[in-house]
Amino acid sequence: MTDTPFSHRAYHRRWLLDQARDLLDFFAAGAVDSSGGFHILGVGGEPIDEPEQELFYTCRMIHCFAAGDVLGHPGAAEIVDHGMNYLISRHHDSQHGGFFWGVSSTEVTRPEKLAYGHAFVLLAAASANEVGHPLAQDLRDLVMKAIDAHFWDETAGAMNEEFTADWTPLSDYRGQNANMHSVEALMAAYEAFGDDRFLTMAERISDLIINRHARQAGWVVIEHFNKDWTPDLSYAGDPMFRPAGTTPGHALEWARLLIQLWHLGGKSMSWMPEAAAALFDTACKTGWDQQQGG
């Protein structure tokens, strides 16, 4: 028996790389929309007629093909460039700043400014910077101007949730999902741009959502909050992005994010490994289907 960890074994690394290449091939074949942006694809890879493009999808495509460029995937750099140009030319609000949630080739379909979407814009900027895209730092500056002016709540140490196009608050809702993805993006930005402020913001969000609220709840991730960051346990919103109750998968995401953040921060936050392990264990116990599995 070998003592090499499974994750480091050559055949496992090759399998992971093959999976990544298959996914990149799948999306590269049909996702690029020649008129701008990206197509949603069906299970067979065929473009689905969907006139609206949502902000997070544009940004995730940039992020994925930036990773593909690092892997040497043919055409990945051109797809990153395609996405970056669409993100800045179509999603960006040149009048009020920030980024629209939904656009088409001819109009703004959903003008809301959402923290969830802006987290992915920052991730796209960081990923594009890692592959040397010339617009990456401009994109970082555009999204951070919006985050600093409207989304970041310095008192709470977390992100406000949602605004209209002219930055009128849409509600008093505060959510952990947008903040979780903000932590992901802020860590990527810290690694890409080297600004310690990104790391500090990620640590503050993590402390609020996990070290305070999840710990108090027995390591269950509280999803929904009021304006003052007290838990709103009765909230029932969008079944895709804001489902009622807790989402065990988010606890698993947080477990990984905390370990990464602990390492990036020089292992100075001693509570993070304990929290990551507790979140993982609790999610597996509460989220596992004892009858059917999965």
Side-chain angles (χ1 to χ4, degrees), residues 153 156 158-161 171-176 179 208-209 213 222-235:
D153 180 344
M159 298 278 276
N160 295 322
E161 188 71 21
S171 71
D172 289 337
Y173 175 84
R174 300 291 182 268
Q176 86 77 25
N179 278 276
L208 174 67
I209 301 294
H213 285 295
I222 304 298
E223 299 283 345
H224 312 295
F225 296 86
N226 300 301
K227 184 178 181 180
D228 61 357
W229 284 100
T230 54
D232 184 356
L233 301 182
S234 64
Y235 183 88

Side-chain angles (χ1 to χ4, degrees), residues 25 35 67 107-108 111 131 142 148 151 157 169 182 185 199 206 223 237 239 252 267:
D25 285 340
S35 66
E107 63 180 342
V108 175
V131 296
L142 288 173
D148 286 337
F151 288 108
S182 295
L199 187 66
S206 302
E223 299 283 345
L252 300 179
K267 301 183 179 181

Side-chain angles (χ1 to χ4, degrees), residues 103-121:
V103 297
S104 72
S105 59
T106 59
E107 63 180 342
V108 175
T109 54
R110 288 188 58 186
E112 301 97 303
K113 311 282 178 66
L114 306 181
Y116 183 90
H118 283 69
F120 283 106
V121 176

Side-chain angles (χ1 to χ4, degrees), residues 182-200:
S182 295
V183 168
E184 176 188 28
L186 287 162
M187 288 194 292
Y190 170 71
E191 293 187 282
F193 301 113
D195 187 338
D196 287 347
R197 178 169 176 251
F198 293 126
L199 187 66
T200 300

Side-chain angles (χ1 to χ4, degrees), residues 2 20 46 50 62 88 99 101 110 128 135 140 145 156 174 191 207 228 233 250 260 272 283:
T2 179
E46 69 283 359
E50 176 56 68
I62 294 168
I88 292 174
F99 293 80
W101 177 254
R110 288 188 58 186
L135 295 177
R140 172 203 60 194
K145 184 176 181 180
R174 300 291 182 268
E191 293 187 282
D207 184 72
D228 61 357
L233 301 182
H250 286 161
Q260 182 183 351
M272 289 183 177

Side-chain angles (χ1 to χ4, degrees), residues 45-271:
E46 69 283 359
I48 296 174
D49 185 18
E50 176 56 68
E52 180 180 70
Q53 181 152 339
E54 293 176 311
L55 180 59
F56 79 101
Y57 185 60
T58 306
C59 296
R60 281 176 166 173
M61 291 295 285
I62 294 168
H63 169 69
C64 290
F65 278 94
D69 192 21
V70 172
L71 293 173
H73 194 275
E78 289 77 8
I79 295 176
V80 170
D81 189 56
H82 178 84
M84 289 288 285
N85 284 308
Y86 190 78
L87 180 56
I88 292 174
S89 67
R90 297 295 302 130
H91 283 287
H92 180 244
D93 181 352
S94 59
Q95 180 180 2
H96 298 293
F99 293 80
F100 298 122
W101 177 254
V103 297
S104 72
S105 59
T106 59
E107 63 180 342
V108 175
T109 54
R110 288 188 58 186
E112 301 97 303
K113 311 282 178 66
L114 306 181
Y116 183 90
H118 283 69
F120 283 106
V121 176
L122 182 58
L123 180 64
S127 302
N129 193 72
E130 294 286 20
V131 296
H133 195 279
L135 295 177
Q137 295 189 26
D138 290 340
L139 182 61
R140 172 203 60 194
D141 293 344
L142 288 173
V143 71
M144 286 309 299
K145 184 176 181 180
I147 288 173
D148 286 337
H150 304 286
F151 288 108
W152 182 250
D153 180 344
E154 177 62 25
T155 301
M159 298 278 276
N160 295 322
E161 188 71 21
E162 54 190 359
F163 299 87
T164 64
D166 65 0
W167 298 111
T168 301
L170 269 172
S171 71
D172 289 337
Y173 175 84
R174 300 291 182 268
Q176 86 77 25
N177 192 24
N179 278 276
M180 178 183 71
H181 285 292
S182 295
V183 168
E184 176 188 28
L186 287 162
M187 288 194 292
Y190 170 71
E191 293 187 282
F193 301 113
D195 187 338
D196 287 347
R197 178 169 176 251
F198 293 126
L199 187 66
T200 300
M201 291 170 72
E203 289 173 342
R204 291 194 66 195
I205 293 172
S206 302
D207 184 72
L208 174 67
I209 301 294
I210 302 301
N211 197 33
R212 290 168 54 186
H213 285 295
R215 182 188 292 274
Q216 187 173 5
W219 300 115
V220 172
V221 175
I222 304 298
E223 299 283 345
H224 312 295
F225 296 86
N226 300 301
K227 184 178 181 180
D228 61 357
W229 284 100
T230 54
D232 184 356
L233 301 182
S234 64
Y235 183 88
D238 185 295
M240 174 62 75
F241 293 107
R242 300 178 185 175
T246 190
T247 302
H250 286 161
L252 300 179
E253 287 186 74
W254 268 112
R256 193 271 296 173
L257 292 171
L258 289 174
I259 293 299
Q260 182 183 351
L261 185 56
W262 178 59
H263 278 276
L264 286 179
K267 301 183 179 181
S268 60
M269 299 290 178
S270 59
W271 64 268

